[in-house]
Amino acid sequence: MRNRGWSAFLLAVVISGTLITTGCERIDRQFDRVRSVDAKKKKYMDSGKKFLAEKNPLAARQRFGLAIRTDPNWSEAWYQSGIASLQARDYPRAFKAFDSAAKKDPKNYDALRQIASLYLAAKRYDNAKTAAEKMLTVRPNDSAAQEIIAYSLAGLGDLESSEKELEILVEHDPSQIAATLNLARLKLHEKDKEGAEAVLKTAAETSKPQIPSSWTLLGNFYLLAGKLPEAEQAYRKAISIDPKDPSPQYALGRFLSVSSRLPDAEVVYRKIAADNPGSDRHRSALARFDLARGQVEKGITELEEIIKKYPEDRFNRNLLTAALIRTGKTDRAMALSNELLKKNDKDTEALLTRGILDVRLRKTQEAITDLTQVIHNQIDNADAH
C-alpha cells in the first residue's frame, strides 16, 4: 500500500510538472503572437547578433531570417543576414542578402559597400565601379568608395584613371595605407621611382595622427632603393611614434641584419622579446634571430628558457624540437614530442615530429602509426604523406 501510495504521488508530480511546463510554453507562444512587431524584431535581431559574436553564423542567419519574416522590408535584417552568410563563407547567399538590403533601402551604405567589395573580389570590375558610385551618392567623397573605383579602373585596364583616383584619395587622406601603397606600385610600374617615393613620403609626413606603418612602408621603399641611411631613419621614426608596436621593430631588425650589423640587430630583437612576454611569437624573437643566423646552440638555450617559464607554449616547444632535430639531438626532441602528446594526443605537429624521428630511428611501425594519425587529423599534410 505504501509503495502504491508513493507511486501515485510521483505520478501526480510528473503530471503536474508536465502541465505547468506545457502551460508556460503555450503562454509564451500566445505572448509571441500578440507582442508588437517591433518587440519581435528586436528579439530576433539581438539574438542573431549574439550568435554572430559567438561565431555561430548558421544560428545567427536563422534568427535574422525570422526578423525578415516579421518585416520583409527591413533592410538591416537583410544586411545582417548577409554578414552571417559571409561569416559562413556562403558568398552567393551573402550577395543576395546584401542586394535585398540595398533594394529595401537604397541608402544602406554598408550593404552597398559589401556589394561593391564582393564584385571587386569576383573581378567584376564594371559592377564594382557602379556599386561604389552608388556609395558616393550616400556619402560623397567617401574614401572606401573612391578606393574601390580606383581598383576597378585598374582592373578594367585604365591605369591612368586609376592613378588619378588614388592620387585624389591619398591627397585627401594620407592615412589610407592600402591606397598609398598601390599608388606607389603604379608609379613603380611606370618606372617612376621619384613619384613612388614622393607618394610614400608625403603619406608618412602628413598623416594625422602619425602612423607607424606609413613610415615602415617608406623605410621598406628606401631599403629596396638602396638608400640605407634613409631606410634606418624611417624605421626609427616609426618606432618613436609607437614604441610598443613590434612591427616597425622587426623591420628595423631585418634592416640591420641585411646591413651586416648583427650586434645592433640583436639589441632590437632582444627588446622585442623583453617587451612582449605575453606573445608566444614575440617572446622568441631573439631565439628565432639566433637560429636564422646559424647560432643554433644559442637559440636552443633561449628556447629552453622560454619553455621553462611557459610550459604550455606549443609554438616555441615545436620550434625547439625542430632545432634539436637539426643538431642531431633526437633523444631530447623525442622527449619534447612525448611531453606534448601526453597533454594532447591529437597534437598534429608533435605527432608529425615524432613520426619523422621514428623514421630516422628506423622504428617503422611507430612511424606509420604516428604519420597515419597526422593524415587522419590533417589530410592535406604533405610532410606526413
Side-chain angles (χ1 to χ4, degrees):
M1 285 294 292
R2 291 175 65 183
N3 286 339
R4 288 173 60 187
W6 179 248
S7 299
F9 173 73
L10 286 177
L11 181 61
V13 170
V14 171
I15 291 172
S16 64
T18 303
L19 289 172
I20 290 168
T21 304
T22 306
C24 288
E25 290 174 352
R26 188 183 299 116
I27 290 169
D28 189 58
R29 286 198 300 272
Q30 289 172 349
F31 178 70
D32 207 44
R33 282 197 293 270
V34 301
R35 77 173 68 183
S36 71
V37 170
D38 286 343
K40 287 183 183 178
K41 286 166 61 176
K42 184 177 186 307
K43 171 189 171 184
Y44 297 139
M45 181 62 72
D46 290 348
S47 178
K49 287 183 176 180
K50 180 175 177 289
F51 280 119
L52 268 185
E54 294 170 354
K55 306 296 182 186
N56 188 346
L58 299 183
R61 190 165 65 189
Q62 188 266 345
R63 297 305 189 279
F64 296 134
L66 290 173
I68 291 166
R69 196 187 313 172
T70 304
D71 181 358
N73 292 315
W74 192 13
S75 178
E76 180 63 15
W78 282 105
Y79 172 75
Q80 293 295 340
S81 179
I83 293 295
S85 292
L86 271 188
Q87 196 177 97
R89 298 188 179 184
D90 186 348
Y91 301 115
R93 192 163 178 171
F95 180 85
K96 288 180 182 178
F98 293 136
D99 189 51
S100 294
K103 286 176 179 175
K104 304 301 179 187
D105 178 9
K107 293 185 177 181
N108 189 327
Y109 168 85
D110 293 324
L112 291 170
R113 181 172 179 172
Q114 292 290 354
I115 290 168
S117 298
L118 287 171
Y119 272 137
L120 190 64
K123 298 183 179 180
R124 293 175 60 176
Y125 300 117
D126 270 327
N127 299 108
K129 181 172 174 290
T130 300
E133 286 166 349
K134 289 180 181 178
M135 290 167 62
L136 289 173
T137 65
V138 181
R139 294 185 187 177
N141 301 318
D142 179 64
S143 60
Q146 291 172 335
E147 194 169 358
I148 290 171
I149 289 172
Y151 299 151
S152 299
L153 289 167
L156 293 167
D158 189 352
L159 296 182
E160 184 177 349
S161 297
S162 176
E163 185 175 336
K164 287 179 181 177
E165 288 288 337
L166 287 173
E167 284 174 345
I168 293 169
L169 174 59
V170 172
E171 183 179 351
H172 177 70
D173 184 4
S175 67
Q176 294 290 326
I177 300 298
T180 300
L181 179 58
N182 285 308
L183 178 56
R185 283 173 175 162
L186 280 175
K187 297 286 188 185
L188 289 172
H189 181 74
E190 297 168 353
K191 301 188 182 341
D192 183 3
K193 289 184 179 181
E194 290 182 0
E197 179 181 347
V199 167
L200 294 170
K201 189 174 182 181
T202 300
E205 291 177 343
T206 60
S207 292
K208 294 181 180 179
Q210 289 277 280
I211 302 172
S213 52
S214 293
W215 285 97
T216 303
L217 279 176
L218 180 60
N220 292 341
F221 172 82
Y222 282 139
L223 178 59
L224 292 172
K227 297 183 175 182
L228 302 188
E230 290 88 343
E232 181 174 358
Q233 185 178 3
Y235 292 138
R236 293 194 184 278
K237 175 66 176 179
I239 293 169
S240 70
I241 294 168
D242 185 0
K244 293 183 179 180
D245 183 356
S247 296
Q249 295 180 53
Y250 276 113
L252 177 61
R254 287 190 294 270
F255 163 78
L256 293 170
S257 295
V258 299
S259 302
S260 299
R261 293 165 59 184
L262 297 180
D264 292 336
E266 181 175 341
V267 171
V268 172
Y269 287 114
R270 188 181 298 279
K271 186 176 187 308
I272 294 172
D275 290 349
N276 300 276
S279 165
D280 55 1
R281 281 161 174 76
H282 297 330
R283 71 168 69 114
S284 62
L286 180 59
R288 288 182 285 116
F289 167 68
D290 285 327
L291 292 174
R293 64 172 175 158
Q295 298 285 331
V296 180
E297 289 297 334
K298 189 176 178 183
I300 286 174
T301 301
E302 286 153 359
L303 287 170
E304 286 177 332
E305 288 299 315
I306 289 171
I307 299 305
K308 284 179 185 177
K309 289 183 182 178
Y310 306 96
E312 303 300 320
D313 185 342
R314 291 177 61 249
F315 173 79
N316 287 308
R317 189 179 287 269
N318 287 328
L319 199 63
L320 174 57
T321 304
L324 290 170
I325 292 173
R326 280 172 58 189
T327 54
K329 298 172 182 176
T330 53
D331 289 344
R332 286 168 65 186
M334 182 68 82
L336 277 170
S337 297
N338 287 331
E339 279 182 42
L340 280 172
L341 290 167
K342 281 180 184 177
K343 295 176 182 177
N344 177 11
D345 61 1
K346 291 183 172 58
D347 188 323
T348 303
E349 288 293 331
L351 282 167
L352 179 60
T353 300
R354 192 170 71 177
I356 292 170
L357 287 169
D358 286 333
V359 170
R360 292 190 176 195
L361 297 171
R362 301 183 184 277
K363 296 180 179 180
T364 308
Q365 191 55 52
E366 290 90 337
I368 290 171
T369 301
D370 284 338
L371 296 178
T372 301
Q373 186 62 40
V374 172
I375 294 168
H376 178 75
N377 294 346
Q378 196 177 59
I379 197 165
D380 59 347
N381 194 302
D383 291 329
H385 286 283

